[in-house]
Amino acid sequence: MKVLYAIQGTGNGHLSRSMDIVPLLKNMAEVDVLVSGIQGDLSLPFPVKYKCHGMGFVFGKNGGVDFWKTFYKSNFRKFLKEVNSLPVQDYDLVISDFEPVTAWACYLHDKPCVGLSHQAAVLAHQAPKTESSDMVGRLILKQYAPVTEQYGFHFKSFNDNIYTPVIRQQVRNIEVTNKGHYTVYLPAYDDARLIKQLSNFKDVKWEVFSKHNKKVLKHRNITIQPINNEKFINSMASSAGVLCGAGFETPAEALFMKKKLLVIPMKNQYEQQLNAAALKSMGVPVIKSLKEKHEETITKWLNNDSIVEVSYPNETQEILDRIFKQHVIELIPQL
């Protein structure tokens, strides 16, 4: 039996989750992998058969999505060509982690497509919502990668189709310590802005991982370094706390490591606003930006050692077994 597993390559969350999912899938079927997107930083430990441009988003430098660069780097004609040329009919099962080329190819060919993503969970009726309604953002989340069936991951299991996060084995097995520094991952801010704001906390050692720099820089109590998977995980595991955007994988991994967490959702990014609402409901502090008016909240967070307790068991195989049983049972009746 043949499976196509498609990954959204904008950012690193979907890519990191695939590192656990793909090896398990390969034990169950013949698997081809597709990745689309233009801003991923991780090298995958398995072959990628299809590399597509897709329809990704470009991070800005002031706390949000850069819509101009996103529009400039998008190529709708190329996207349509990728959709029309992808042979989804050749596969017994298609799984999409919020990946649009595969989802729309299945839609056009009337082919079932199973969504296995965090985005499937944030829109669930039981998941926490923001105070303000973002109709455009909600529309993008619903129509960006349309699927016929959805299974989701969230910070908590809000219904039967929502599971707790996939925590990579690399993270599950790492030794967790506290060497006193704070790990920072805010890809929507440029290095100059981060240095300016974090310098106000002179007694804190900051380890910043940047999408905007290719070499290591040091500025007093701040170290800026390019994103490196091994170094980033080691930094988080040995940190006193994590300051990051309101994405999914990084906050989930920080919570799993029992690190205190402070998040800043990206502007004009509805998914991150929903994530922030869920984290806030769990007791994680949330601020809107790095502006000076939020320095008091950051100071309180630095001086507070309380953490949010979570339980994230390894359910990845269970999820895949459920998908196979419900969607391809006639092909593999032994499941």
Side-chain angles (χ1 to χ4, degrees), residues 44 108 144:
L44 296 176
L108 291 179
Y144 179 78

Side-chain angles (χ1 to χ4, degrees), residues 56-230:
F57 300 95
V58 177
F59 296 127
K61 296 184 177 182
N62 296 303
V65 173
D66 189 323
F67 285 112
W68 170 247
K69 281 191 176 180
T70 296
F71 178 78
Y72 178 76
K73 291 193 175 185
S74 65
N75 187 327
F76 193 65
R77 182 176 296 179
K78 185 174 184 178
F79 174 73
L80 288 178
K81 184 177 180 181
E82 291 174 340
V83 168
N84 287 317
S85 63
L86 186 63
V88 291
Q89 309 95 313
D90 295 346
Y91 295 92
D92 301 301
L93 174 64
V94 179
I95 302 175
S96 171
D97 186 345
F98 201 57
E99 195 291 305
V101 175
T102 304
W104 280 104
C106 287
Y107 180 83
L108 291 179
H109 290 93
D110 197 25
K111 172 82 175 178
C113 182
V114 176
L116 182 61
S117 68
H118 170 58
Q119 287 74 16
V122 297
L123 289 177
H125 177 70
Q126 298 88 345
K129 299 298 185 288
T130 60
E131 295 179 359
S132 58
S133 177
D134 183 346
M135 298 302 294
V136 174
R138 183 177 178 82
L139 182 66
I140 290 173
L141 275 181
K142 291 186 70 173
Q143 302 300 329
Y144 179 78
V147 294
T148 51
E149 190 75 23
Q150 298 193 70
Y151 300 86
F153 305 101
H154 214 325
F155 298 114
K156 291 177 65 176
S157 179
F158 295 105
N159 67 33
D160 290 341
N161 271 23
I162 297 177
Y163 293 83
T164 53
V166 174
I167 303 297
R168 293 175 282 171
Q169 293 302 313
Q170 187 179 13
V171 173
R172 286 186 181 276
N173 298 331
I174 200 167
E175 180 184 2
V176 177
T177 61
N178 184 347
K179 295 184 178 178
H181 65 268
Y182 285 81
T183 301
V184 181
Y185 180 54
L186 291 167
Y189 288 94
D190 64 13
D191 299 341
R193 178 73 179 275
L194 289 172
I195 289 172
K196 178 182 177 182
Q197 298 304 127
L198 296 179
S199 292
N200 294 330
F201 306 92
K202 298 179 174 59
D203 297 328
V204 177
K205 182 180 179 183
W206 302 100
E207 291 190 0
V208 177
F209 288 82
S210 169
K211 291 185 74 75
H212 308 287
N213 206 322
K214 300 301 181 185
K215 60 182 180 179
V216 177
L217 297 175
K218 291 191 176 182
H219 180 83
R220 297 175 184 170
N221 58 322
I222 303 169
T223 301
I224 307 277
Q225 57 188 299
I227 295 170
N228 175 282
N229 183 50
E230 299 285 342

Side-chain angles (χ1 to χ4, degrees), residues 228-245:
N228 175 282
N229 183 50
E230 299 285 342
K231 291 180 178 178
F232 180 67
I233 292 175
N234 287 330
S235 177
M236 277 210 303
S238 60
S239 72
V242 177
L243 169 61
C244 63

Side-chain angles (χ1 to χ4, degrees), residues 17 34 49 56 98 100 102 112 123 129 190 194-195 260 267 278 294 296 303-304 317 325:
R17 180 161 55 241
L34 178 149
K49 183 169 184 177
F98 201 57
T102 304
L123 289 177
K129 299 298 185 288
D190 64 13
L194 289 172
I195 289 172
K260 61 179 182 178
K267 293 181 291 186
H294 298 298
E296 183 179 349
N303 293 330
N304 191 335
Q317 186 64 61
K325 286 177 182 179

